[in-house]
Amino acid sequence: MEYQLSTEELGRILALDAEQRYDYFVQAVADLEEIWILTDEEGFVLVSAEDDRCIPVWPHAELAEQWIEGEWQHCTAKSIDVATWLDKWTSGLNGDELAIAVLPDADGPGVVVTPDELAETLIDEMSDDA
């Protein structure tokens, strides 16, 4: 279910601090049931946050697509439905010892969580919505 962000919504989201963006991400993913990542011919892209290798994630294509420039200009935004994320990606990322950078911005990686932490938070939020 593709949701188009307006320019005003995009601006409001980008103005949020890291914790607020994390809360927004969880609510949006629970509602829209998809997570966006960037991929290239080698797979998904990673960022570094302190000592962690992280996969950056976004709740909307427009937010992910803002990162398609510079060294990532060859990337494309790809959606993963939340059920697949919870079933397959969480255990796969754990196995690869990767963290998740939630809604990063130009100032940093956003909130960095483990795959299990994000999965638990998403499941809690989706069960609250039910």
Side-chain angles (χ1 to χ4, degrees), residues 16 18 22 36 41 47 52 62-64 69 84 89 93 98 112-113 116 118 127:
L16 298 173
Y22 180 79
W36 290 84
E41 63 278 350
V47 296
D52 293 318
E62 294 90 341
L63 291 166
E69 63 181 22
T84 300
W89 281 77
L93 294 172
L98 296 174
V112 175
V113 295
D116 287 336
L118 182 59
S127 64

Side-chain angles (χ1 to χ4, degrees), residues 4-125:
Q4 289 293 123
L5 284 179
S6 70
T7 304
E8 293 79 25
E9 288 173 310
L10 193 59
R12 278 197 302 272
I13 295 164
L14 295 175
L16 298 173
D17 68 27
E19 288 291 334
Q20 292 169 323
R21 290 195 316 274
Y22 180 79
D23 292 341
Y24 175 83
F25 174 87
V26 169
Q27 292 171 352
V29 169
D31 290 344
L32 302 173
E33 299 185 357
E34 61 186 4
I35 292 174
W36 290 84
I37 63 170
L38 291 181
T39 62
D40 62 17
E41 63 278 350
E42 297 176 22
F44 54 85
V45 300
L46 295 173
V47 296
S48 294
E50 296 177 26
D51 295 332
D52 293 318
R53 290 185 321 137
C54 307
I55 180 172
V57 296
W58 297 269
H60 304 287
E62 294 90 341
L63 291 166
E65 288 166 352
Q66 288 195 319
W67 288 76
I68 300 175
E69 63 181 22
E71 67 179 292
W72 290 356
Q73 65 188 353
H74 58 284
C75 294
T76 56
K78 176 183 177 187
S79 72
I80 301 164
D81 71 83
V82 75
T84 300
W85 181 271
L86 295 171
D87 288 345
K88 295 188 171 84
W89 281 77
T90 298
S91 61
L93 294 172
N94 278 326
D96 292 339
E97 298 183 1
L98 296 174
I100 300 167
V102 177
L103 233 169
D105 67 7
D107 296 327
V111 173
V112 175
V113 295
T114 68
D116 287 336
E117 288 174 299
L118 182 59
E120 185 177 320
T121 303
L122 287 172
I123 290 167
D124 286 348
E125 182 69 24

